[in-house]
Amino acid sequence: MSKNLEEKSKASNIKSQPKVYVLRWGHRPKRDIRLTTHVALTARALGASGLILSDVEDKNVKATVEKVVKNWGGPFHFEMGTPWRKVVSEWRAKGGIVVHLTAYGENIEASDVMQRIKAQGKDVLVIVGSQKVPGEFFSPEVSDFNVAIGNQPYSECASLAVFLDRFFEGKELTKTFENARLVIIPQQRGKKVVRRMNSEYEAGKEI
Amino acid sequence: MSKNLEEKSKASNIKSQPKVYVLRWGHRPKRDIRLTTHVALTARALGASGLILSDVEDKNVKATVEKVVKNWGGPFHFEMGTPWRKVVSEWRAKGGIVVHLTAYGENIEASDVMQRIKAQGKDVLVIVGSQKVPGEFFSPEVSDFNVAIGNQPYSECASLAVFLDRFFEGKELTKTFENARLVIIPQQRGKKVVRRMNSEYEAGKEI
């Protein structure tokens, strides 16, 4: 196989993997701007395809996410204001499954819940709530799986991060983002960022 | 080996594993209360032994961390106000290594940095900063390793979570916390929390 074909094959393999979207529930505008922004950055950096900020709108979060995607690449879908029931019912109607991250759920390490989720081979909507979520989130009408990243008081960013890292088995961390203006070149010491002038990093200007 | 002895052996194995402490740098009182609290909860839930909030004091963060430890168990060390240089120099003097989490560092997935860290077999101080950290953090005088959980804009909670999950290889998520008043019993559906009346969960009252 030529290198070019091999790369295309790899790309199509990646595309055929299940996609993950994150539904962020319970956002309070102003008070939660930074936490929800962190949830969105976590989702993007760890391989999710998008984030839906349900039920409310927050232009600050939208602006930050769009700025990050513009500079650091995508694709990464962002929408807000859609009622959570609508998101969930449309997702399930399309054949996707729903995973609710909660400290009360099955322990991701002690149980086989991650294997059962992966065995489905379906796109996953991950619901990331706040402390008091509607009881319905736990019911079979909403969630296919209730998953705990440890059964302890937690940060939703941390839960989402560990879930995505394990779901994608780390591969998400070496993903190339499309149309990035800025690219970090990993270093043992110091910072190296290049601005992409065209499709090649090498042609980038160090900044 | 009797079950009891086997458990003791397991416990001593866990105790002989390297310990991880987190140094949170750059906290701005009021503005960062929730994020730093999330960093502390992440540290505790994912197996770190403590958190040092360097250079500043914030009674709100302290109160929340202490309340969580009181209800959900420990041990989990918390201190604040100590200058970061003092924390780092004392840590290194005791033979510990320092890992600085930064988007500019070696990629935890694409490089062998995690193997090199584990190969040291030493206690680890993880520095979790904010956007603009002092340049010194990258230097060999401060950090032994600069590690990126993906080279993308990130959340420090997410970075810390993935680092700890990989460092402890998931074992931290089934850890039993000592002196917990409340314990979650994982469920496929719904919530189950018991209040421990004595050393046995079974004797706990469901709440």
Side-chain angles (χ1 to χ4, degrees):
Chain A
M1 212 190 292
S2 76
K3 203 184 166 195
N4 209 12
L5 268 177
E6 202 172 275
E7 278 169 6
K8 276 188 188 164
S9 161
K10 271 187 200 164
S12 73
N13 279 342
I14 289 166
K15 276 180 189 164
S16 71
Q17 274 188 358
K19 283 191 164 41
V20 176
Y21 282 75
V22 176
L23 188 161
R24 164 67 161 166
W25 181 89
H27 171 82
R28 292 158 297 184
K30 287 189 184 164
R31 189 176 146 95
D32 290 334
I33 289 174
R34 293 184 68 213
L35 270 181
T36 297
T37 301
H38 277 236
V39 169
L41 294 183
T42 301
R44 175 185 168 280
L46 280 152
S49 300
L51 181 122
I52 301 134
L53 179 58
S54 78
D55 303 286
V56 290
E57 304 209 328
D58 192 321
K59 286 179 185 169
N60 294 288
V61 175
K62 185 174 190 277
T64 306
V65 172
E66 285 177 351
K67 194 176 162 193
V68 167
V69 172
K70 194 174 171 186
N71 283 326
W72 298 94
F76 186 75
H77 171 84
F78 178 82
E79 69 176 73
M80 57 187 186
T82 320
W84 72 263
R85 287 179 201 281
K86 191 179 174 214
V87 178
V88 168
S89 64
E90 287 182 359
W91 185 263
R92 298 184 73 142
K94 282 191 291 186
I97 59 170
V98 178
V99 171
H100 174 215
L101 294 185
T102 164
Y104 299 98
E106 294 183 80
N107 189 302
I108 199 171
E109 177 72 17
S111 78
D112 62 353
V113 68
M114 183 52 100
Q115 290 95 298
R116 279 150 47 217
I117 291 168
K118 284 188 186 169
Q120 302 257 332
K122 293 178 182 170
D123 289 347
V124 178
L125 181 70
V126 180
I127 302 184
V128 176
S130 54
Q131 286 196 319
K132 297 275 177 195
V133 302
E136 289 165 277
F137 280 14
F138 292 91
S139 76
E141 286 72 39
V142 175
S143 56
D144 296 283
F145 300 94
N146 287 280
V147 177
I149 313 300
N151 302 98
Q152 292 293 327
Y154 229 101
S155 156
E156 53 266 43
C157 283
S159 300
L160 180 62
V162 171
F163 179 84
L164 292 173
D165 190 41
R166 291 185 174 212
F167 185 84
F168 292 118
E169 297 170 9
K171 295 185 190 78
E172 78 286 353
L173 295 178
T174 55
K175 166 181 166 182
T176 302
F177 287 84
E178 294 169 21
N179 301 315
R181 293 180 177 187
L182 299 172
V183 176
I184 290 171
I185 311 296
Q187 303 287 309
Q188 291 197 348
R189 302 278 169 205
K191 303 179 183 182
K192 189 171 182 180
V193 184
V194 293
R195 195 181 292 277
R196 277 176 86 175
M197 309 301 279
N198 54 38
S199 63
E200 297 298 318
Y201 299 140
E202 288 72 23
K205 191 182 160 197
E206 197 168 326
I207 57 174
Chain B
M1 208 189 294
S2 76
K3 205 184 165 193
N4 208 12
L5 269 178
E6 203 173 274
E7 277 169 7
K8 276 188 187 162
S9 161
K10 270 187 200 165
S12 74
N13 279 341
I14 290 166
K15 276 181 188 163
S16 70
Q17 276 187 357
K19 283 191 164 40
V20 176
Y21 281 76
V22 177
L23 188 161
R24 166 67 162 165
W25 180 89
H27 172 82
R28 294 158 295 183
K30 286 190 186 167
R31 189 177 147 95
D32 289 335
I33 289 175
R34 292 185 67 214
L35 270 180
T36 297
T37 302
H38 277 237
V39 169
L41 294 183
T42 300
R44 176 185 167 280
L46 281 153
S49 300
L51 182 123
I52 300 133
L53 179 58
S54 78
D55 303 286
V56 291
E57 303 209 330
D58 192 321
K59 286 179 186 169
N60 294 289
V61 175
K62 185 174 189 278
T64 305
V65 172
E66 285 177 351
K67 194 177 162 192
V68 167
V69 173
K70 193 175 172 187
N71 283 326
W72 298 94
F76 187 75
H77 171 84
F78 178 82
E79 69 175 73
M80 57 188 186
T82 320
W84 71 263
R85 287 180 201 280
K86 190 178 175 215
V87 178
V88 168
S89 65
E90 288 183 358
W91 185 263
R92 298 184 73 141
K94 283 192 290 185
I97 58 168
V98 178
V99 171
H100 174 216
L101 294 186
T102 163
Y104 300 98
E106 294 183 81
N107 189 302
I108 199 171
E109 177 71 18
S111 79
D112 63 353
V113 68
M114 183 53 99
Q115 289 96 297
R116 279 151 46 218
I117 291 169
K118 284 188 187 169
Q120 304 257 332
K122 293 179 181 169
D123 290 345
V124 178
L125 180 70
V126 180
I127 301 184
V128 175
S130 55
Q131 285 198 319
K132 297 277 178 194
V133 301
E136 288 165 278
F137 281 13
F138 294 90
S139 76
E141 286 71 38
V142 174
S143 56
D144 297 282
F145 299 95
N146 287 281
V147 177
I149 314 298
N151 302 97
Q152 293 292 327
Y154 229 103
S155 156
E156 52 266 43
C157 283
S159 300
L160 179 62
V162 171
F163 179 84
L164 291 174
D165 190 43
R166 291 185 173 212
F167 184 83
F168 291 118
E169 297 171 9
K171 295 184 191 78
E172 77 288 353
L173 295 178
T174 56
K175 166 180 166 183
T176 302
F177 287 84
E178 293 167 23
N179 302 316
R181 293 180 177 187
L182 299 172
V183 177
I184 290 170
I185 311 296
Q187 304 287 309
Q188 290 196 350
R189 302 277 169 205
K191 302 179 182 181
K192 190 171 181 180
V193 183
V194 294
R195 195 181 292 277
R196 280 176 84 175
M197 310 299 280
N198 54 39
S199 63
E200 297 297 318
Y201 298 141
E202 289 72 22
K205 190 181 160 198
E206 196 167 325
I207 56 175

